[in-house]
Structure formats: C-alpha cells, structure tokens
C-alpha cells in the first residue's frame, strides 16, 4: 500500500514507516501531522485510485522526527575587470517526517 502526497509544492511517494525529508513544517519533534492532499492511492490488491486533482477520503498520517537544516549553498557572482563581486550563502530548513499510516475512510 502506498500513496503519492503533495506538500511544499513537491510530490512524494510514501508508504507506512517511510522516513521522508520535506520542506519545513511547523511543530516540534514528536508532533503528529496529517497530509490531506493525496494525489494517488494504491492498496495491496492492485486497485489504484487516481485523483483529479486529489483523492477524497484518503489521508496520510505522520510524525515529525526532527527539524534540520541543509548544507550551505554559496551563490558567488563575479564580473571580471570591474572589481564587482557578490557572495551570498543560504541554508534551507527542512523537516524529517516518519509516515505512520495511510487511512482510507
């Protein structure tokens, strides 16, 4: 059994007990989260439901494992012979989530 969910502008294929890294969600470690935007649901017997755009009655439950930050990304721009340089750094925040189950109502 698996589902395709949408969160943070991206889509993820998830199953029970999967650990995924997604865009930052509010909450501390141990907080329960629910994903309502399910785009596709497939049960174990081969039946598949495809949403237009979402499947109604299906939700994915998860638990926040940790709040982390990604590696530092350096954006460096240089224009030669003009003494013009710009250096910027960025670290993206993300959330690690463990999927606890997929419920079909």
């Amino acid at each position: 059994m698996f589902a395709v969910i949408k969160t943070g502008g991206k889509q993820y294929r998830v199953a029970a007990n999967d650990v995924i890294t997604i865009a930052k969600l509010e909450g501390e470690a141990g907080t329960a989260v629910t994903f309502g935007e399910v785009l596709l649901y497939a049960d174990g017997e081969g039946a598949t439901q495809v949403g237009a755009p979402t499947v109604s009655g299906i939700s994915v439950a998860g638990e926040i494992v940790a709040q982390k930050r990604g590696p530092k990304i350096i954006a460096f721009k240089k224009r030669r012979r003009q003494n013009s340089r710009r250096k910027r750094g960025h670290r993206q925040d993300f959330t690690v989530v463990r999927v606890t189950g997929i419920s079909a109502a």
Side-chain angles (χ1 to χ4, degrees):
M1 173 182 339
F2 72 91
V4 175
I5 61 170
K6 180 179 177 184
T7 180
K10 297 186 173 94
Q11 299 175 5
Y12 301 91
R13 180 189 187 274
V14 296
N17 298 322
D18 281 354
V19 177
I20 58 173
T21 301
I22 60 175
K24 182 168 172 62
L25 295 175
E26 294 299 323
E28 299 293 323
T31 305
V33 292
T34 303
F35 302 102
E37 284 191 89
V38 177
L39 305 175
L40 182 135
Y41 170 72
D43 60 0
E45 290 99 36
T48 303
Q49 296 178 12
V50 179
T54 60
V55 179
S56 62
I58 308 290
S59 65
V60 175
E63 175 188 5
I64 295 177
V65 176
Q67 300 282 3
K68 292 189 176 184
R69 299 187 79 192
K72 185 172 225 179
I73 306 294
I74 303 294
F76 184 76
K77 297 179 181 179
K78 182 179 187 315
R79 294 172 194 88
R80 59 187 183 151
R81 294 187 298 276
Q82 297 176 13
N83 196 20
S84 174
R85 294 182 285 200
R86 173 177 290 161
K87 181 179 178 182
R88 290 184 177 175
H90 175 76
R91 287 185 74 181
Q92 186 70 34
D93 294 328
F94 62 86
T95 303
V96 180
V97 175
R98 176 180 293 112
V99 177
T100 56
I102 302 170
S103 63

